[in-house]
Amino acid sequence: MSQTDIVSLQKEGKKFKPSAAFIKHAHLKSAAAYKKLHTESIKQPQKFWTRVSKELHWFKPWTKLHEWREPFAKWFIGGQTNVAYNCLDRHLTSWRRNKAAIIFEGEPGDERVLTYTDLHREVCRFANVLKAHGIKAGDRIMIYMPMVPEAAIAMLACARIGATHTVVFGGFSAQSIIDRLQDSQAKMVITADGGYRRGAVVALKRNVDDALKQATGVEHVIVLKRTGTEVAMQEGRDHWWHEETAKVSAVCPAAKLDSEHPLFILYTSGSTGKPKGVLHTTAGYLAGTYLTTKYVFDIKDEDTFWCTADVGWVTGHSYTVYGALANGATTVMYEGAPNWPEPDRFWRIIAKYKVTILYTAPTAIRAFMRWGDQWPKKHDLASLRLLGTVGEPINPEAWLWYHEHIGQKRCPIVDTWWQTETGSIMITTLPGACFTKPGSAGLPFFGIDPAVVNKEGSELPANVGGFLVVRKPWPSIMRTIHGDPERFKRQYFGEIPNVYFTGDGCRRDKDGYFWIVGRIDDVLNVAGHRIGTAEVESALVSNQKVAEAACVGRPDSLKGQALVAFVTLKSGITATPELKEELRAHVGVQIGPIAKPDDIRFTAALPKTRSGKIMRRLLKEIAGGGDVKGDTTTLEDLSVLVQLKADEE
Ligand code: WTA
């Protein structure tokens, strides 16, 4: 996409200021205070991060703040720490030892509360289970679990002994597990017999079994009994969580790990068919998630924080688990769907546990809007004091609905822009300090120096659309793509010299507020989930009947973007409505239900340039139902376009 195509459609409306009541108790109370700290973090990073790092626990203090050998960053060099120690042990020496760490509600309505002491004990036990199965620091472990406390326990147990976890979202298919196992070379899989979703059981263990028929290298599978569903257990390989934890001690000292020790790999979509294993390490990631949770969510000991993201996504990693626990907060985990058994499940949970901070996604907010305000109205939401959103630009209508019906005009909203790659929140408005503008993520967080630039890397004037880049490395930046440092360099530092390239289009307004337009590469944001069009295309062409496929996004009022696939069939194959369903199901098996195209359009040919490149831009215009306005002079065969338009009508 060229820079001139980046136009932000969000119109600027009213500004919203935090109330005096909110400011009174906020960590940061004024724009001046924000500006002062931000300036210090950029101009005197040593001073700023030294102070922050004193709020964390170190086995050995770091000696050098950072090193930047583009594209590779290191932070808190020479230090030794442990993320699980910071999330757990650190709180056991104070009254927090019996504070609720995790409040859990399962979809069927079961409840559990784990205090910091409980969570520490369970993590230590499970860490000993890992050790008993030969897991050592540096080994990779796959976690494929429902949203239950054991998912967090497994992550923290890995962190405790220095094993590197790779969490795979429970909605992904067996094929996705195979790809990720092969890439990460994991030795162990931690899963459950199943998890609840919309009243049904998701067969997690069965997917693992299917995957392990093909993937090699996995020596042990630990299975949590969650649903009681019957599962096959392979002698010697598969072990029950409850039996293993009963055999081991609850004492397990946290390993003293180097600041740059790999903490986790999380796979995310890029612009090729192969998901990227984004690698995050120990101290920088901890500092980033700790500090953003503290300031962006204005966390206090009295808060009950609910980040609704699944641990399979980075938001679940950074805010449900690590950021929340590093701050000694109470974090809520809910297993199931927002509309199960009825569309008021979220509001019921908020009223029941007196949630004070809610962090969710625009796509969820738009669904709530659609279901109607009668649902939140039925519940007492007076405990809420702060709201957040993440995952895609929020349209001002949804922002205002969230503000009025959920925040009851009392709660500031933080619209947080960040990525799997950035590890923690990068752009937002600190809730007691800055005004918000619906539709704009806001201002840079401490230590973050973003800019909107053109292809050559020159900064653009206010309100001119361009590419969002970050000029300085920050503590929680991804360190590399697991096993592919070249791709890391090419993708994030190859486009524009000397800066981190986000892949997002953006403009910055006169107040310095950033307005994110969305992805400029072939990555879609469907219902807040990142989906690479190339992944879906390669899933489609892996079907025998498909000759070629091109996927594009079309604006969707609920999901943000919907996925439209243009498909040409092999000769002799007839296009039928049943075949559409078959192909959708095929993508579901190859990747997971979230990647199923919303719409499949069969076509005789795809529009291509003379060099054979599919012109997705034209398809995008057709999928969006509009006229084809763009330049078509490079199109090899104009009749293809005429045919595509005719197919549509
Ligand atoms: C988009 C999720 C606008 C953006 C944490 C980014 C957003 C991609 C926002 C990363 C926001 C995320 N406003 N767009 N507040 N937050 N995005 O890796 O396009 O799943 O590049 O990380 O989501 O998605 P990811």
Side-chain angles (χ1 to χ4, degrees):
M1 183 189 261
S2 76
Q3 178 215 323
T4 46
D5 291 333
I6 302 169
V7 272
S8 160
L9 298 175
Q10 309 268 42
K11 288 271 177 318
E12 192 165 331
K14 215 173 131 193
K15 291 176 186 171
F16 289 80
K17 290 199 181 105
S19 67
F22 187 93
I23 296 172
K24 194 169 167 209
H25 299 287
H27 282 314
L28 221 64
K29 300 179 196 299
S30 69
Y34 156 74
K35 222 175 238 157
K36 187 165 168 246
L37 271 181
H38 185 259
T39 307
E40 184 195 66
S41 72
I42 299 296
K43 300 224 163 108
Q44 296 168 280
Q46 184 85 21
K47 189 171 164 203
F48 181 87
W49 291 109
T50 299
R51 198 172 54 235
V52 171
S53 77
K54 287 202 175 125
E55 295 176 28
L56 297 167
H57 171 270
W58 300 84
F59 291 107
K60 190 172 149 219
W62 50 275
T63 47
K64 187 176 170 196
L65 182 63
H66 69 127
E67 193 181 278
W68 177 232
R69 295 213 178 108
E70 199 184 312
F72 303 107
K74 286 184 180 168
W75 279 82
F76 305 111
I77 298 162
Q80 281 185 350
T81 183
N82 185 293
V83 172
Y85 189 100
N86 274 281
C87 288
L88 302 168
D89 309 50
R90 206 157 60 89
H91 310 308
L92 300 186
T93 54
S94 75
W95 66 271
R96 279 187 189 147
R97 65 174 73 95
N98 280 322
K99 176 179 175 175
I102 296 178
I103 295 180
F104 165 73
E105 183 164 301
E107 198 185 70
D110 50 324
E111 294 167 35
R112 265 161 79 194
V113 176
L114 284 95
T115 64
Y116 273 93
T117 299
D118 294 334
L119 186 59
H120 176 260
R121 185 174 51 242
E122 296 306 318
V123 168
C124 289
R125 268 192 202 287
F126 199 66
N128 281 331
V129 171
L130 299 180
K131 283 187 183 170
H133 288 88
I135 299 297
K136 302 213 161 34
D139 287 344
R140 266 86 61 205
I141 295 187
M142 178 177 288
I143 299 176
Y144 183 66
M145 301 271 278
M147 266 300 273
V148 294
E150 283 77 6
I153 292 168
M155 291 162 77
L156 289 158
C158 290
R160 193 162 191 87
I161 63 167
T164 302
H165 60 69
T166 178
V167 183
V168 174
F169 173 54
F172 279 132
S173 65
Q175 184 59 46
S176 296
I177 300 176
I178 296 172
D179 298 342
R180 286 157 176 77
L181 279 176
Q182 268 156 1
D183 191 81
S184 65
Q185 304 276 297
K187 281 172 79 174
M188 177 187 269
V189 178
I190 303 166
T191 188
D193 53 356
Y196 294 102
R197 188 80 190 173
R198 290 207 172 82
V201 170
V202 183
L204 298 168
K205 173 66 163 64
R206 203 175 59 209
N207 285 346
V208 171
D209 290 341
D210 286 348
L212 292 185
K213 284 183 191 136
Q214 286 185 53
T216 51
V218 172
E219 291 161 12
H220 296 284
V221 180
I222 311 282
V223 188
L224 176 78
K225 197 176 263 231
R226 165 68 186 137
T227 58
T229 319
E230 193 142 335
V231 293
M233 296 291 279
Q234 187 177 307
E235 187 71 36
R237 185 194 74 183
D238 300 350
H239 318 271
W240 287 109
W241 178 296
H242 59 275
E243 289 176 4
E244 295 306 308
T245 46
K247 290 183 204 160
V248 294
S249 114
V251 179
C252 176
K256 296 174 180 161
L257 301 171
D258 186 86
S259 290
E260 285 300 330
H261 187 81
L263 177 65
F264 68 85
I265 298 167
L266 183 59
Y267 287 87
T268 190
S269 296
S271 47
T272 74
K274 195 170 167 275
K276 308 177 268 202
V278 170
L279 178 79
H280 283 286
T281 57
T282 296
Y285 176 81
L286 173 67
T289 51
Y290 165 76
L291 198 71
T292 46
T293 305
K294 176 173 170 181
Y295 283 105
V296 179
F297 299 113
D298 191 46
I299 278 274
K300 312 279 168 42
D301 262 318
E302 297 77 11
D303 280 313
T304 299
F305 176 61
W306 185 19
C307 163
T308 67
D310 191 283
V311 287
W313 309 110
V314 76
T315 311
H317 282 60
S318 297
Y319 296 102
T320 305
V321 180
Y322 291 121
L325 299 175
N327 278 277
T330 297
T331 183
V332 175
M333 283 177 95
Y334 166 59
E335 178 187 31
N339 54 350
W340 189 266
E342 287 195 299
D344 65 345
R345 188 62 181 269
F346 272 28
W347 322 126
R348 201 176 274 281
I349 290 173
I350 289 168
K352 183 168 166 193
Y353 302 106
K354 305 278 178 266
V355 170
T356 59
I357 305 166
L358 175 69
Y359 188 33
T360 193
T363 185
I365 298 167
R366 289 191 297 266
F368 296 136
M369 274 174 85
R370 209 170 262 205
W371 296 332
D373 14 307
Q374 71 274 22
W375 296 106
K377 267 206 191 92
K378 283 167 75 170
H379 300 278
D380 178 8
L381 305 181
S383 59
L384 285 173
R385 67 179 196 91
L386 177 60
L387 305 175
T389 79
V390 60
E392 57 179 305
I394 181 164
N395 47 311
E397 299 71 41
W399 195 102
L400 292 168
W401 186 88
Y402 198 31
H403 174 68
E404 191 177 327
H405 295 281
I406 308 306
Q408 301 171 338
K409 300 188 177 164
R410 174 184 70 240
C411 307
I413 297 179
V414 288
D415 177 354
T416 62
W417 177 87
W418 59 296
Q419 307 177 298
T420 305
E421 294 88 336
T422 70
S424 56
I425 294 166
M426 304 284 280
I427 297 177
T428 191
T429 45
L430 297 184
C434 310
F435 58 82
T436 48
K437 305 184 189 191
S440 164
L443 299 163
F445 187 72
F446 305 137
I448 310 303
D449 184 19
V452 178
V453 302
N454 62 17
K455 260 242 126 70
E456 290 70 46
S458 312
E459 190 161 5
L460 293 164
N463 289 322
V464 176
F467 306 104
L468 179 64
V469 299
V470 186
R471 288 181 284 215
K472 283 193 175 59
W474 60 98
S476 67
I477 185 176
M478 71 184 285
R479 297 307 195 253
T480 190
I481 292 175
H482 177 70
D484 201 349
E486 273 311 307
R487 186 175 174 196
F488 172 59
K489 190 169 178 184
R490 203 171 53 242
Q491 192 126 28
Y492 301 101
F493 295 89
E495 300 273 343
I496 298 171
N498 304 317
V499 294
Y500 168 83
F501 183 69
T502 65
D504 277 351
C506 185
R507 78 179 159 89
R508 192 174 196 178
D509 70 17
K510 287 202 177 69
D511 295 322
Y513 277 53
F514 287 86
W515 297 73
I516 313 293
V517 180
R519 304 291 306 189
I520 49 161
D521 50 14
D522 294 319
V523 177
L524 300 183
N525 204 323
V526 179
H529 297 141
R530 253 170 88 163
I531 297 176
T533 52
E535 278 171 76
V536 183
E537 286 163 7
S538 81
L540 282 167
V541 297
S542 74
N543 184 290
Q544 297 273 316
K545 296 173 184 161
V546 173
E548 233 182 350
C551 294
V552 295
R554 117 166 100 68
D556 182 272
S557 63
L558 190 63
K559 295 169 143 191
Q561 279 182 302
L563 187 67
V564 182
F566 291 86
V567 171
T568 61
L569 295 170
K570 288 195 180 142
S571 62
I573 308 288
T574 322
T576 58
E578 292 74 39
L579 183 55
K580 280 191 189 180
E581 273 322 301
E582 183 187 324
L583 294 181
R584 290 185 74 243
H586 179 75
V587 175
V589 171
Q590 292 297 311
I591 307 175
I594 55 164
K596 285 184 184 175
D598 298 274
D599 191 2
I600 292 185
R601 302 196 190 169
F602 294 118
T603 171
L606 292 169
K608 291 187 184 167
T609 62
R610 280 178 204 102
S611 58
K613 245 182 120 179
I614 296 171
M615 295 181 75
R616 286 193 177 69
R617 178 172 53 78
L618 301 183
L619 292 174
K620 230 183 257 176
E621 290 175 334
I622 291 167
D627 284 339
V628 175
K629 292 189 233 72
D631 180 16
T632 54
T633 50
T634 50
L635 191 64
E636 184 227 10
D637 179 1
L638 256 179
S639 69
V640 171
L641 199 59
V642 177
Q643 189 57 48
L644 275 167
K645 288 296 292 176
D647 290 348
E648 196 200 349
E649 279 139 24

